[in-house]
Amino acid sequence: MKALVFACLMLPVAAIAADLEASLTIRNHQFSPAELKVPAGKKIKLIVQNQDPTPEEFESHELNREKVIAGNGKATIYIGPLQPGKYPFFGEFNEKTARGVVIAE
Amino acid sequence: MFGAALIVFRESLEAALLISIVAAATRGLSRRNFWIAVGIAAGLAGSLVVAGLTERIAELAEGSGQELFNAAVLGIAVVMLGWHNIWMARHGREMAAQAKSVGHAVKSGQREMSALAILIAIAVLREGSETALFLYGLAAGGGSSHASMLGGGLTGLVAGVVAGWALYSGLARIPLRHFFTVTSGLILLLAAGLAGQMARFLVQGDIVRPLATPLWDSSSLLPMDSVIGNVLHLVAGYDARPSGMQVLFYVLTFLIILAGMRWSRTLTPRTA
């Protein structure tokens, strides 16, 4: 019940604005840019382009997101609004090489 | 090899957990094994189809197709689990009391089991399509030979099944008196957890607003990649950084199913 009341209090007045976009590319099982700077406190439309022929799963515990991106495909993932800080992410199918961080400031 | 084993193990463990809880909760229902097998088979067949269509699904709804699809699949699973719990709240004890009784209990048992087959199919479908896609990626990437990949995949699958079986055996050993309480509790948590996941996908696809990102952060206390955190995530839908909407879905689902179970218990069961 407490959560419910809290959630209702959190309902902001809907603002109609164009989404802020940011983009990432996967190539050779690596993300570029590896450091993605985004404004804090805003909803971001993150577009991930996979240029490898193999699928990848974009995953981040810090951002609370996971999404499979088909080989040579692209995906849209909405993130935020974020507090200022660093939010690491990785590709679950190639965890050793596919690593990056979103920096909200 | 190891990568394939690990991924397949993780995915099959998730499906195996759900199947073993459901299997334990339906002990004594007629033709249960048949329906469980049907569910698993349908889920596996569906996985291959979904893995082949992932790109198409993701292109739908401006790139939020995957999220919508996942949310829909989870929504169906939540309804099935909730309905099962509400139905069992009334019939569970009765069935335990007159186990092996024929007549309407069996008939409703049949109906109930076909619904559970759908639930199991959905669980297998979700985990299976991810696994199929991953293995397909490994194969296409040529990173490892087919033989070692298949070997790894099979190892992972066997390990997942063994873990599920162990859980089932453990659940099956609980004395009947407490048995329904335990399995209903597990299913209630499972359903609420899946509803939370559903909200997460809807937020990720910008279909609903997050309300708070995150509502709390317990990752320093109990990280998601710790063993306990992972088990709690699988069984009870624990999340270290949930959005407000996720918690709202979780709490509402929990309360609605619980209320349904209470209500169902107050109805006097018809005795054959």
Side-chain angles (χ1 to χ4, degrees), chain B residues 180-230:
Chain B
F180 286 110
T181 319
V182 172
T183 49
S184 302
L186 278 174
I187 289 190
L188 182 58
L189 287 173
L190 199 66
L194 291 178
Q197 297 288 325
M198 180 178 162
R200 200 184 65 164
F201 281 118
L202 291 172
V203 168
Q204 178 171 309
D206 199 34
I207 298 145
V208 298
R209 44 180 68 247
L211 300 182
T213 52
L215 189 57
W216 72 71
D217 184 348
S218 51
S219 55
S220 50
L221 292 169
L222 185 55
M224 294 286 283
D225 35 26
S226 65
V227 175
I228 299 174
N230 210 342

Side-chain angles (χ1 to χ4, degrees), chain A residues 69-84:
Chain A
I69 304 147
N72 294 320
K74 82 177 186 169
T76 310
I77 303 163
Y78 282 87
I79 57 173
L82 299 170
Q83 301 286 343

Side-chain angles (χ1 to χ4, degrees), chain A:
Chain A
M1 197 63 221
K2 238 187 252 175
L4 182 63
V5 172
F6 182 68
C8 292
L9 289 175
M10 292 300 297
L11 275 169
V13 181
I16 300 167
D19 292 326
L20 284 167
E21 288 192 11
S23 63
L24 277 173
T25 307
I26 302 167
R27 196 180 309 142
N28 301 329
H29 307 311
Q30 288 174 335
F31 285 106
S32 72
E35 287 195 357
L36 184 69
K37 288 196 165 63
V38 301
K42 297 257 197 302
K43 184 172 78 184
I44 312 289
K45 182 178 181 179
L46 180 62
I47 296 165
V48 187
Q49 187 91 35
N50 184 0
Q51 296 183 347
D52 286 337
T54 54
E56 183 56 273
E57 182 166 29
F58 175 95
E59 184 158 345
S60 168
H61 298 306
E62 286 74 8
L63 292 164
N64 192 6
R65 293 288 177 269
E66 57 180 333
K67 179 155 181 156
V68 175
I69 304 147
N72 294 320
K74 82 177 186 169
T76 310
I77 303 163
Y78 282 87
I79 57 173
L82 299 170
Q83 301 286 343
K86 289 189 172 183
Y87 299 85
F89 58 84
F90 59 94
E92 208 196 356
F93 294 168
N94 300 281
E95 234 175 291
K96 284 197 182 66
T97 55
R99 300 200 150 269
V101 60
V102 169
I103 300 170
E105 50 196 20

